[in-house]
Every structure is written in structure tokens, then in C-alpha cells.
Amino acid sequence: MSAEDELQQRDAAADPTVQAHGARVLAHLREVFAAAGGRLPFARYMQEVLYAPGLGYYQAGQRRFGAAGDFVTAPESFPLFGRSLARQCAQVFACLGGGDLLELGAGSGALAQSLLAELAALDALSGRYLILEPSADLRARQQARFERHCPPALRARVHWLDGLPDGFQGVVVANEVVDAMPVHRLVKRESGFRELWVRLRGDELAWEEGPLSAPDLDRPLAPWRAALPEGYVTEVRPVAGAWLHSVAEGFAAGLILIIDYGYPAAEYYHPQRSAGTLMCYHRHRAHDDPFHLPGLQDITAHVDFTALAEAAVEAGLGVAGYTTQAAFLQGCGILELAERESAAGGSGDWGAGKGGSGGAAAGKGLPRRQVELATQLRRLLLPGEMGEAFKVLALSRNLPLPQEGLLGFSIRDERGRL
Ligand SMILES: C[S@@+](CC[C@H](N)C(=O)[O-])C[C@H]1O[C@@H](n2cnc3c(N)ncnc32)[C@H](O)[C@@H]1O
């Protein structure tokens, strides 16, 4: 940790609001650990510190997204992401003859803002914009954002759901949702895989090795087990398969797009990835200690896209495409979009094209706008930034595909790697 990071951490820990919240989370954890006999599978610990009502990281009122928060997501900082994605949605709506858009886990509402703006600009708004957000706090923030900024005609299309809809037709989008779902941590020993549990002693959280908390937890590792060295640590996320089954249940027709950082199983469980992918984020510092400031930092792990694709097939969905974020966005026309934006000097969100109110006037402030667009392209597309680490998985049901195929997978489709 750099001296600057250490100072930042000390500042955070010294903040009385942070201390008071941290104490409440710890008191809650003490009760949960006591009820469970002293130790929990890591997945249960992660569930509590991220999602315990009123206490977990995604449930309590702190600032998480953007420069003043803990991390930045693509739609949050780069409107070109959502606007390109809108073009894929528009193509699906054209194939279906209409449909709704359902966003799962909408965070601050930034993606909804870009998607609605671009769909309006394309004249492709066909139905409702539905949001399923399990966090009451985030839902309130999304609603406030729409009340404040969204033109009334677009606002009228937005509805918050309490559960997954039945008979849904259209496009489902889940950006950086699966990586926020709890994982179990496993370690390879001579006798087979063991689980890393969490123990709470006094105020100290610590790892404790034990048996698997469910007998088939190590199932995704079966094809790779023999090649993995003793002491190899990794993560599995059975809850993602169950989640996908529930999404598939009420899904009648259209496309489901899952966007996240991750790999196919052969890369996820590569012998060289010997410490797993668990990461924590607090005030833009990434580290690997999930016991630091419980409830006040984000905890994530990469996504196993092979496991998701297998769960999708089991649930009766088709795997319609798999590619990198860079290839997907370029297939959707991000470069042409940026070029047009640059020439027009538009703002990007509830201001784009005929949908809205405009940003910097054409001819005025153009160089700044161009620099800003170039930054968006660099961050979204370059391999060392988000371009290769993030992948897009498309799942379909009853979708009559256009002859030219899905836009986002027209440059490169790597389904064969799953
Ligand atoms: C890292 S944030 C990403 C937010 C937003 N999609 C973005 O890209 O900026 C994770 C989001 O997933 C939501 N989430 C977690 N589990 C979920 C689930 N099972 N269903 C729907 N959303 C979920 C969280 O509440 C949060 O809004």
C-alpha cells in the first residue's frame, strides 16, 4: 500500500459516520456468526456484508459509484457504452416487433439514462423501461435521478419492479451484476477441494479451512482439477446459476445480455490463476482483504462465463453470442457514434440527438468534447483498460435473428471458447 493509500484508509477509518456504521455491521455479524455456530462459508459472509438490509454495502446510504465513491463502472462514466448498447437493443426490438427493456441491478441509474436517450434518438423506444433493483437505497437514488433529470415523456416509461416479470418479451441487461453475487472460496488439497470459511473471534475476522459447505460445490472444477497445484485457491458462484434459472423462467422472447469481467472456465481455472480473483474496492483503492471495513467496501470476483452459459442451456435458453466488450461495442457502432457526436458537439445523455437538450453547442468547446470522447473510447475499448477484461454473453429465446446476425457479435463471436 502506498503512503497516500494508507493515509486515505486512516481517514476513512477515523470518520465518525464510518466508525458508527462499521460498529453496527460488526454487531450484526456477531449475531449471524453466533447463530451459525461461530463460522460461515465465505459466500454467506459476502452476502451479509454486501446485502444485509440497511447495513450491507449495497443497502446502506454511502456513495459507491463515481469519482466520490469507491469504483467506476462503464455506464457510470462513459455514456458511449449505454448508447452503443442501445443499438443492440433497437435491433432486437425490430426483430420482435417491439418489447420492453428490463435492467437488473441498475446501480446509480446511469445506464438507464444513456439507453433511454439513445433509444429515443433512434426512434426505437418500443415499450417500458423496467428496473429490478434489490437495494432499497439504490432504488431511491435511481428514482431521484429520474425525477430530477429525465424528460417527462421518457420518465413515464420507467417502472421499478419488486420481482422478475412473467411472460417478458424484449431485452434484459445485467451490467456488473453477477460479479457482485457471493462466491465460495475453495482451496485444493491432496484429498480434494476444501472450503475457506470465515471465523469471527472478538472483533477479528479470519479464514479457517474446513469441509465443503455443500457436497457438489467443486463441480465446476472437475475438468481442471488434475492440473491444479496443491494450495490452489479459487472461487465458485453457484448462486449465479440459480439466478439465471429464475431470470429464464418468466422470459418469453428476446435477448438477455450479461456484461461483466470474467473468463471462460478454462481460463478461470487456469493453473496460473492460483490465488483466485477476489477483489475489494474502497475509495478507488483495489486490494484483496475482504475483512477490511466490513459493509463499507465493495467485494467482487470475476465471472465464470462457461458456468453461466451451461446454466442458460439447462434453463432452455440459447447461447446467441460471446465476445469482448471492445468487439461488442464496435459491432454496435461505437466508433461511428463517437464520430457523429464529435462533429455535432452533443452531450451524450438526455441530450443526445432528437431525444433531448444538447450539451456543448456545435463549434463551441469542440476540442474539449473531442478529448472527452477519445477518453471514453480509450477506456471502453483498449485491451489494457476495459476492452478485453469485460465480456458480453448473449442468451436468447424465441428471437427471430436478422440475416446479418446480432450487431454486437458481428465483429467477433467467441462462443467456441466457452
Ligand atoms: C456493481 S453494481 C453495478 C450497477 C450498474 N449495473 C452499473 O453498471 O453501473 C451491482 C448492482 O447489482 C445489484 N444486484 C446484486 N444482486 C442482484 C440480483 N440478484 N438481481 C438484480 N440486481 C442485483 C446491486 O444492487 C447493484 O445495483
Side-chain angles (χ1 to χ4, degrees), residues 51 58 65 71 73 75 105-107 133-135 138 175-177 181 243:
Y51 301 108
Y58 282 108
F65 305 93
F71 57 86
T73 65
E133 175 54 70
S135 158
L138 285 175
N175 184 64
E176 289 205 43
V177 172
M181 293 182 187
W243 166 79

Side-chain angles (χ1 to χ4, degrees), residues 3-336:
E4 195 185 337
D5 281 340
E6 263 181 54
L7 270 179
Q8 209 178 26
Q9 290 302 302
R10 247 183 278 145
D11 282 354
D15 180 332
T17 329
V18 170
Q19 278 181 350
H21 186 73
R24 279 197 297 275
V25 175
L26 208 56
H28 170 71
L29 286 177
R30 260 192 225 106
E31 281 174 23
V32 175
F33 273 86
R39 69 177 187 179
L40 297 174
F42 180 74
R44 176 72 197 285
Y45 167 78
M46 187 166 164
Q47 175 71 30
E48 294 299 329
V49 294
L50 293 186
Y51 301 108
L55 291 170
Y57 178 76
Y58 282 108
Q59 299 284 341
Q62 75 267 28
R63 182 88 199 233
R64 309 165 190 87
F65 305 93
D70 299 311
F71 57 86
V72 158
T73 65
E76 185 61 40
S77 300
F78 315 120
L80 284 177
F81 174 87
R83 298 189 57 210
S84 307
L85 185 56
R87 290 163 174 249
Q88 179 59 90
C89 299
Q91 188 197 29
V92 173
F93 292 143
C95 294
L96 291 172
D100 293 332
L101 215 161
L102 166 61
E103 187 181 353
L104 302 174
S108 70
L111 181 57
Q113 179 169 343
S114 304
L115 281 169
L116 278 166
E118 187 63 17
L119 286 168
L122 292 169
D123 255 342
L125 269 176
S126 67
R128 297 167 301 163
Y129 194 106
L130 307 173
I131 295 179
L132 179 58
E133 175 54 70
S135 158
D137 174 57
L138 285 175
R139 181 175 169 150
R141 282 166 194 251
Q142 292 154 13
Q143 285 167 340
R145 180 185 196 121
F146 277 79
E147 290 305 336
R148 262 200 318 274
H149 302 298
C150 185
L154 293 185
R155 167 75 188 81
R157 291 181 182 269
V158 186
H159 303 270
W160 281 264
L161 303 180
D162 294 322
L164 286 161
D166 242 349
F168 178 86
Q169 174 164 317
V171 182
V172 177
V173 173
N175 184 64
E176 289 205 43
V177 172
V178 181
D179 71 86
M181 293 182 187
V183 287
H184 292 259
R185 282 203 110 188
L186 307 186
V187 56
K188 181 159 179 216
R189 296 296 177 212
E190 234 173 74
S191 57
F193 279 98
R194 309 242 311 147
E195 183 157 354
L196 293 177
W197 296 64
V198 182
R199 171 141 329 250
L200 180 64
R201 273 198 195 90
D203 285 355
E204 293 293 313
L205 291 154
W207 294 110
E208 183 175 288
E209 197 173 314
L212 299 183
S213 57
D216 58 350
L217 261 190
D218 57 349
R219 195 161 57 106
L221 286 146
W224 327 102
R225 186 192 317 254
L228 302 177
E230 159 91 15
Y232 183 92
V233 172
T234 192
E235 289 88 27
V236 290
R237 184 180 270 125
V239 73
W243 166 79
L244 197 49
H245 275 267
S246 59
V247 174
E249 218 170 85
F251 183 72
L255 198 68
I256 300 171
L257 289 165
I258 299 175
I259 309 165
D260 227 310
Y261 37 91
Y263 315 99
E267 279 174 59
Y268 201 98
Y269 300 118
H270 192 280
Q272 283 175 356
R273 202 178 307 289
S274 58
T277 65
L278 198 69
M279 286 301 283
C280 308
Y281 294 89
H282 184 68
R283 305 207 172 165
H284 293 279
R285 189 176 76 87
H287 65 90
D288 62 2
D289 179 7
F291 305 145
H292 182 67
L293 298 177
L296 291 158
Q297 63 168 359
D298 191 21
I299 305 178
T300 82
H302 280 51
V303 172
D304 171 359
F305 278 101
T306 302
L308 278 183
E310 284 172 357
V313 171
E314 271 171 29
L317 298 168
V319 179
Y322 173 72
T323 194
T324 61
Q325 175 173 296
F328 178 83
L329 294 176
Q330 287 178 80
C332 291
I334 193 170
L335 297 177
E336 298 78 4

Side-chain angles (χ1 to χ4, degrees), residues 308-394:
L308 278 183
E310 284 172 357
V313 171
E314 271 171 29
L317 298 168
V319 179
Y322 173 72
T323 194
T324 61
Q325 175 173 296
F328 178 83
L329 294 176
Q330 287 178 80
C332 291
I334 193 170
L335 297 177
E336 298 78 4
L337 200 53
E339 210 168 298
R340 207 165 325 139
E341 274 282 292
S342 168
S347 79
D349 270 341
W350 293 328
K354 52 182 152 161
S357 55
K364 193 175 147 208
L366 261 190
R368 210 183 94 211
R369 179 68 185 140
Q370 280 161 358
V371 169
E372 201 239 298
L373 287 166
T375 304
Q376 289 196 44
L377 291 178
R378 179 171 57 76
R379 294 291 307 276
L380 290 170
L381 301 181
L382 287 189
E385 302 272 355
M386 301 173 106
E388 299 275 317
F390 281 74
K391 312 293 192 310
V392 184
L393 177 68

